[in-house]
Amino acid sequence: MESPVSSGRSLPVIRRLCYAVGHFLNDLCASLWFTYLLLYYHSVLGLDGTAAGVLLLIGQIADGVATPLIGYESDRTAGILGYGKRKTWHLLGTLCVLLSFGFVFSPCLACGADTPQWAQLTYFSPFIVVFQFGWAATQISHLSLIPELVSGDQAKVELTAYRYAFTVVANITVYAVAWLLFHFQDQSISGASVPDHFGAMDIPLFRNLVLIVLAIGALSSLIFHVGTKEQPVSAREGERQPLVIPSPHDLSPSPPACGPSPPPPLLQWKHWLKLPAFYQVAFLYMCTRLIVNMSQTYIAVYLTDSLRLPKNSIAIVPLVMYVSGLACSLLMKPVSRLVGISVTYLLGLLLVLGFTSWVLVDEGIGAGRIYGAAALLGSGSATILVMSLSMTAKLIGEQTQSGAFVYGSMSLTDKLANGAGVMLIQSLRPC
């Protein structure tokens, strides 16, 4: 049986680090998924742009459907053999990701040169669905631990910032490894120049990149499971206690009473659907994820197709984005404490608008100025993502018994919106 978290629900630094690294595998895979999926299927494997967009849409739909269901089940189950319910789902998700993601970025094993595209779509789809189920299970269980491990708005912002810092480190790792692999590819072909366009010759490069990512992610997940102690919760706590929506009388001020105040009423999953704040935060989170994920999905295509930069730019420019995001994440706690979470979110949004204005006005932007624009995008994306997650944790507050459902619902909105956005772009201007 695992030892409970301290009554004050605060964590020492080493425990925060062990928690934050628990999403590292997901972050590594998400970086590959959003940055290189369209490029890999279209330019490397030779699928047309619409087919590549369909595969990404299948993944987003699978993830979107799985997240609220996993959130609901994660809230109501008690874990296996005394293992925490959140960590049980995290372990299940990790195994699904490790077993499926390698096939997502590998050529179809049973396909030949004359294999129709529909057959390749059929081959890749089950691996994508299993991967997205595992990714969702890991994400929701990991996020749901935040309000259970710590209490207080600033503590949640800080733990979310730790989590995002490792998200940035994961992206930096992917792009740094990709840059090294491109560098070794250049050196391995002596006497001949490597073409700047992608093709079948890049299949081994992406295969090696995925294998390295999975090895690093497996180690980080092991550290999380060893170093994070989930508070034991009775299986009947979230299911058999009366779960009600607080009435106006419950929320109205009452004269102080002698003795301890009664605990706040517990909210069941269906009660969240009646709270306006639930939809407000969900819409904000959806818009935030649209900004972050769409920019990450199309940055590689923008660099290679629009700006005509060399292949290694798809590693260097995103690397600049996430290094600036990492530096910005270190400032989030003092800034949010000074001006509040909402104002900090607005500041991040202004940085993103600065990036969009720059690339819109500067039509001759090239290899030099793109790095400055990328730094703005990275800093702004980091800020708005951490603040939106902090707002979600603040919304949940002490209602941790249904926190996974809230995070799952937020993720549902962002996955469906991102899938629809990709298909819209691919149908209008396919990459």
Side-chain angles (χ1 to χ4, degrees), residues 20-105:
V21 81
H23 205 252
F24 203 65
L25 172 62
N26 262 22
D27 292 328
L28 291 168
C29 294
S31 180
L32 277 166
W33 172 267
F34 284 111
T35 307
Y36 297 139
L37 186 82
L38 293 179
L39 186 73
Y40 178 76
Y41 282 127
H42 177 59
S43 300
V44 177
L45 296 187
L47 300 180
D48 62 47
T50 302
V54 167
L55 287 173
L56 193 145
L57 178 62
I58 290 172
Q60 295 303 103
I61 292 176
D63 193 356
V65 172
T67 44
L69 298 178
I70 291 172
Y72 174 73
E73 289 297 325
S74 176
D75 285 332
R76 66 189 293 268
T77 54
I80 300 177
L81 300 176
Y83 206 54
K85 61 180 182 179
R86 308 302 187 193
K87 290 176 65 177
T88 296
W89 280 94
H90 187 283
L91 180 60
L92 174 62
T94 298
L95 293 176
C96 289
V97 170
L98 291 174
L99 293 175
S100 62
F101 192 64
F103 293 96
V104 175
F105 275 90

Side-chain angles (χ1 to χ4, degrees), residues 200-386:
M201 65 173 297
D202 297 302
I203 290 176
L205 186 147
F206 283 97
R207 180 196 61 217
N208 295 335
L209 179 59
V210 169
L211 292 177
I212 293 171
V213 159
L214 292 179
I216 297 173
L219 177 60
S220 66
S221 297
L222 178 62
I223 294 173
F224 164 79
H225 280 274
V226 172
T228 301
K229 307 300 180 184
E230 182 179 351
Q231 182 178 9
V233 180
S234 171
R236 69 185 62 178
E237 178 179 323
E239 293 295 309
R240 299 186 181 178
Q241 290 186 13
L243 302 174
V244 297
I245 298 180
S247 65
H249 175 73
D250 295 327
L251 299 177
S252 60
S254 58
C258 299
S261 58
L266 301 179
L267 301 183
Q268 200 177 18
W269 67 269
K270 58 186 177 183
H271 298 143
W272 287 106
L273 303 179
K274 301 178 182 179
L275 299 179
F278 175 81
Y279 296 98
Q280 294 170 356
V281 175
F283 180 76
L284 183 71
Y285 183 77
M286 179 192 71
C287 294
T288 301
R289 276 296 185 180
L290 271 174
I291 294 172
V292 175
N293 291 345
M294 287 295 97
S295 61
Q296 189 175 8
T297 299
Y298 284 100
I299 188 67
V301 178
Y302 173 68
L303 295 173
T304 56
D305 290 3
S306 298
L307 300 186
R308 302 294 180 182
L309 297 181
K311 285 198 294 187
N312 62 0
S313 67
I314 70 170
I316 299 175
V317 172
L319 190 61
V320 172
M321 290 170 52
Y322 282 94
V323 169
S324 63
L326 178 61
C328 189
S329 67
L330 301 177
L331 302 175
M332 291 181 193
K333 182 182 178 181
V335 173
S336 64
R337 178 179 294 172
L338 180 64
V339 300
I341 295 177
S342 299
V343 176
T344 306
Y345 182 94
L346 179 60
L347 293 176
L349 197 59
L350 291 176
L351 292 175
V352 175
L353 291 175
F355 162 79
T356 57
S357 301
W358 190 339
V359 297
L360 180 64
V361 173
D362 191 357
E363 297 181 356
I365 191 171
R369 296 190 296 274
I370 190 62
Y371 297 118
L376 283 179
L377 178 60
S379 300
S381 298
T383 302
I384 61 176
L385 183 56
V386 171

Side-chain angles (χ1 to χ4, degrees), residues 124-165:
F124 285 115
S125 295
F127 294 113
I128 290 175
V129 170
V130 173
F131 161 67
Q132 291 291 357
F133 171 84
W135 200 97
T138 305
Q139 180 202 34
I140 298 306
S141 57
H142 194 256
L143 282 171
S144 302
L145 279 170
I146 293 178
E148 296 185 7
L149 293 175
V150 296
S151 58
D153 292 345
Q154 288 304 317
K156 293 172 184 176
V157 170
E158 184 177 28
L159 196 58
T160 304
Y162 269 83
R163 184 180 184 275
Y164 186 77

